[in-house]
Amino acid sequence: MSSQNIVVIGGSAAGPKAAARAKRLDQAANVTLLQKAPEMSMASCGYPYYIGGNFDNRDQLLSTPTGVVRNEAFFAGAKGVQARVNTEVTAIDRIKKVVSCVNVITGEKDTVPYDKLVICSGATPRHPPIKGINLEGVQALSEMRDADKLRELRDSGKVKDVVIVGGGLIGIEVCEALADSGMNVNVVEMLSQLLMFLDWELAKLVEKHVASKGVTVHTENGVAEFMGENGKLTGVKLNDGSVVPCELAVVSIGVVPNVDLARASGLEIGGFGGIVVDEHMRTSDSNIYAAGDCVEIPNRITGKKTYAPYGDLANLEARVAADNIVLGDSSTFPGTVNSGICKVFNFSAGSTGMSEKRAEAEGYEVVTATNASPDKPGFMGAKLLVSKMVADAKTGRILGFQCVGTGEVNRQVAEAAMAVMNGNTIYDIGVADLPYAPPFSLAIDHFIATAHILENKMAGLMTGICNAEVKEMIDGGTAPFILDVRSPVEFKEMRLNVGETLIPLGTLRNSLDKLPSDKSAEIITFCKISMRGYEAQRVLEANGWTNVKVMEGGIMAWPFKVEF
Amino acid sequence: MSSQNIVVIGGSAAGPKAAARAKRLDQAANVTLLQKAPEMSMASCGYPYYIGGNFDNRDQLLSTPTGVVRNEAFFAGAKGVQARVNTEVTAIDRIKKVVSCVNVITGEKDTVPYDKLVICSGATPRHPPIKGINLEGVQALSEMRDADKLRELRDSGKVKDVVIVGGGLIGIEVCEALADSGMNVNVVEMLSQLLMFLDWELAKLVEKHVASKGVTVHTENGVAEFMGENGKLTGVKLNDGSVVPCELAVVSIGVVPNVDLARASGLEIGGFGGIVVDEHMRTSDSNIYAAGDCVEIPNRITGKKTYAPYGDLANLEARVAADNIVLGDSSTFPGTVNSGICKVFNFSAGSTGMSEKRAEAEGYEVVTATNASPDKPGFMGAKLLVSKMVADAKTGRILGFQCVGTGEVNRQVAEAAMAVMNGNTIYDIGVADLPYAPPFSLAIDHFIATAHILENKMAGLMTGICNAEVKEMIDGGTAPFILDVRSPVEFKEMRLNVGETLIPLGTLRNSLDKLPSDKSAEIITFCKISMRGYEAQRVLEANGWTNVKVMEGGIMAWPFKVEF
């Protein structure tokens, strides 16, 4: 077999993986990696941590675990891949099977022939057509040089006020990085919440935590104008007319796939603007594969195409593409369940599958349960987890799971991702055998306990109500009888102060005369995390009350003000 | 419907769960909980942390998350359950449906009628018939009073030397507790390794870590005699004749199910000595259920019965039993995949499914992969994970996964437990969508990467060899050509020093003349974690060498001495 030419466009995440894997599978192949930027294999998800000063050596973003920078010499020596940086691909000739490229420093042009081509052209931050967006001080975070610039600004100590435009994953990570660096941070988000992968009431807990770190969060507000003097940013005017003075604005409102090359060469582009690929990561041209932030992939739950520009998926897609190029189309990539996680100061926030609002938008009839609990036994230094499980109302299949808090969110979301991918029901999880020891989890793991709550709800044993709905009733003056079943000590320390009645659970069976005599009156029970709230509901229903609801997650999941 | 009498025997883990759940489901029922010990609902898995001084208030082991001790008053008030401590059940009359009990303090006898009975009689530590076992200073750890005693001894400062008999989960946890308390600890284990749920080479890494904390580990050695003076322990004589002086010996060589009551009442007892239950947790008497450490349950992989006395399973089994008592036999408990985890000083060690040796003993033809890697990117403060995946050689189904190290073992084992329960193959995991962000994992999660290695092995791309096998060859004087492909800097810092040749991967393609000219010569490659070792194998095979093997896990998984 004569050597085949494999050309990979793009050298960030998917590209290097595809190139290195292809070469490992076919040592005889000529593998060429063409990268526009001066760096390769950048750990771009690490940019916020570099910007925030978690480490000082930018080479760490570009290095192997043993500290070798992944430059051209590394790719040649260790990987057998001919990598060329500063090299922009300008055209793909699918008939001649050749790509044209130009060295962006020297202007030198070249062509590279291919037998198989992999397009890993990535994505570009959205650049909203807002007045003043090109002012000095308005900054995206996409390339290594953006990270360098933001780190430089941080180290200069010259930036006092910064506005983050967009409250998504990257926005929040940059918010933390800059706030921890001593800047005064404002976050502006058009929608009603941060982190759209969460449902509102969990996002609100994150927002509360972010605010507790001195960050000002503006939701349901957008940027009307970037204001400047002499070409430099001086402030941001919001849609509500208010002005936030700042020297720096970081715009991170999502990315769009880079498909100009693919489109110009006639490859099929999908409804989300990404390159269309089949389950083998093959484009509409059988000699061309694509992977990473430039493609559309299936949502594994709905089967519909989606756009999921995540670094982990880019690597897995690229591996599948390389396998199929060398070994024939034997490997398939099934798509995404939208698993994600981020650190938000002392909180972690993660999600997999669909939120309630997303599942409803997809047409599912859903049931949900919210669970607030410690992540470990109290004597092991427990920290809080607040989770919400979303399941199909007919089958109990878990469609999604979200978790936020200071506790061990990581394991929870990973377990849930496995459950969602496997199509597990709440009943499967209710009897799951997960690793337990006090340093690591509760005896009944939080994820299992959340499934139990949802089982109880589906079986009609527990009727839940969302705290946001309770708050709406209170604010609307239509609050029902609200029953706090915690202890007097707990009540004294912290309470909702919304007109609730305190009857500790232990005395409830003997205090039924303190409840509404009308057995059909709406009663809402809660406690710290609403385990006792649920016990109270069982007691009241056994005693004839017919309209009792548990405020899920209790006071620990209450995203509004509490009284101390 | 008239009120049913539900009686629960045993008040540790399963019992209180069954009682409380049954009452929540049927508020009209009379639920009685009979407990021999003075405490109830003890977090017995937390005993080692209490003994080790992680916290000082023993009530924390007996309390709800909000700090209320789960005593008789608590069960009455909050749970509606009539709990009676110090109450030993002496007989079950299945014809009359009544249990006889006695108050172990007052001697008062009583009978309690039942409609449904749940036996949660737990287990008792094995008490080996060794001379001197009844000496003062020879101690088990099973009941609360054992924990109290050990904590008291720790606080007294009078114990300098201690021998832990048994290197299983509890032995290792107590070892840590007492070593951290300043005692000189020896661990004696009959078998060739600690923590039998691990394969030898991973257990050896744990042993190395334990030894680094000043603990002396004696494997393949047993206790011949507990030696004493005036009724007090003075030392332990081992099977090899050596004597370890000590004032305290903690014996934890496993537990046996408490089934005397069940056996005396004619209930079926299984081959592992536990009560036989069906998938509804029902015994051979349709009015009697059982749960927790006294029962046998199915292994979910093999379908065979096994004995799995774990606190988490006890809770889940009890919940199923209560459901079936109140709601009819609608809930099933599928059994265990033997998931477990423990903290061992700075290490965590966990496992799910079967080890290689266990799977082979069960008759499976298996393939395995060992993966040593950081848990996170280096710039986030990565820590080490060493894992081994065991899969069915025919189908690639994951039969087991073990993980040890200073890194995030918890998430890894939880993911693997989900995979094993779901019957996932390595191919399923190779394209899994798990949550990723630099503070939490690598872009390709360690668990996924382990599946990739095993894929490569099954596809014939990589041929692995276990470090223990390499060591045996070296010790036997039959060592092949051993090729270290790390950098000279890494080599200088740490090396095997077994006659290996250093050729850094980056120069390998130009140094082929340094390799054996006989292309059939056996060559073993490795690096720090053996990613580069694998690359080297690919290069050598492409250049005609036919017998190249990668030493899996590289130097980081090497459980023997290294040179610095």
Side-chain angles (χ1 to χ4, degrees), chain A residues 262-284:
Chain A
R263 182 180 278 124
S265 66
L267 295 178
E268 194 183 343
I269 306 299
F272 287 86
I275 300 170
V276 171
V277 289
D278 66 12
E279 71 271 31
H280 305 295
M281 302 310 295
R282 193 159 58 172
T283 69
S284 52

Side-chain angles (χ1 to χ4, degrees), chain B residues 201-480:
Chain B
E201 69 278 14
L202 265 74
K204 222 62 193 169
L205 290 172
V206 175
E207 187 181 322
K208 216 173 163 181
H209 180 66
V210 168
S212 79
K213 298 293 177 179
V215 173
T216 306
V217 179
H218 310 257
T219 52
E220 298 184 77
N221 213 338
V223 175
E225 183 187 342
F226 294 102
M227 298 156 61
E229 275 171 29
N230 306 322
K232 285 188 181 178
L233 182 73
T234 58
V236 173
K237 181 186 274 183
L238 303 185
N239 284 341
D240 67 2
S242 62
V243 173
V244 183
C246 62
E247 305 92 65
L248 175 64
V250 182
V251 180
S252 70
I253 54 169
V255 296
V256 287
N258 293 332
V259 297
D260 288 352
L261 263 181
R263 182 179 278 126
S265 65
L267 295 179
E268 193 184 342
I269 306 298
F272 288 86
I275 300 171
V276 172
V277 290
D278 66 11
E279 72 271 30
H280 305 295
M281 303 309 296
R282 193 160 57 171
T283 69
S284 52
D285 180 326
S286 66
N287 292 311
I288 305 181
Y289 292 72
D293 292 1
C294 61
V295 304
E296 297 180 9
I297 55 172
N299 177 300
R300 290 172 72 158
I301 306 170
T302 65
K304 297 178 198 168
K305 282 292 176 92
T306 189
Y307 181 54
Y310 301 114
D312 55 335
L313 297 180
N315 274 282
L316 300 181
E317 291 159 12
R319 187 171 187 274
V320 167
D323 284 1
N324 289 328
I325 284 172
V326 179
L327 307 171
D329 284 343
S330 56
S331 291
T332 57
F333 185 73
T336 180
V337 291
N338 288 109
S339 303
I341 188 167
C342 68
K343 183 175 173 293
V344 192
F345 298 99
N346 308 120
F347 260 44
S348 305
S351 167
T352 186
M354 292 185 274
S355 64
E356 182 179 10
K357 62 177 179 291
R358 182 79 224 144
E360 282 177 343
E362 290 287 346
Y364 288 93
E365 189 194 332
V366 300
V367 285
T368 72
T370 298
N371 181 19
S373 86
D375 59 349
K376 291 181 279 200
F379 55 80
M380 296 308 292
K383 290 178 181 167
L384 182 69
L385 295 174
V386 182
S387 295
K388 181 170 174 180
M389 187 178 280
V390 179
D392 183 281
K394 290 185 199 76
T395 61
R397 180 186 166 174
I398 297 171
L399 298 172
F401 181 80
Q402 310 153 51
C403 183
V404 307
T406 50
E408 179 62 52
V409 169
N410 193 17
R411 165 172 156 168
Q412 295 297 315
V413 180
E415 288 170 352
M418 292 296 298
V420 170
M421 278 184 280
N422 277 295
N424 290 150
T425 66
I426 56 170
Y427 311 104
D428 294 328
I429 300 307
V431 291
D433 180 3
L434 294 168
Y436 160 61
F440 303 100
S441 77
L442 295 177
I444 298 184
D445 180 66
H446 177 85
F447 183 53
I448 298 177
T450 312
H452 287 170
I453 295 172
L454 196 39
E455 262 188 53
N456 290 336
K457 288 184 70 176
M458 285 186 76
L461 295 168
M462 172 175 155
T463 307
I465 185 167
C466 176
N467 47 39
E469 213 179 313
V470 176
K471 181 69 158 57
E472 215 166 90
M473 286 193 283
I474 293 164
D475 291 346
T478 59

Side-chain angles (χ1 to χ4, degrees), chain B residues 166-167 188-196 200 204 207 217-222 357:
Chain B
V188 180
E189 168 59 54
M190 292 259 280
L191 300 166
S192 61
Q193 63 171 81
L194 305 176
L195 299 177
M196 278 304 293
W200 186 88
K204 222 62 193 169
E207 187 181 322
V217 179
H218 310 257
T219 52
E220 298 184 77
N221 213 338
K357 62 177 179 291

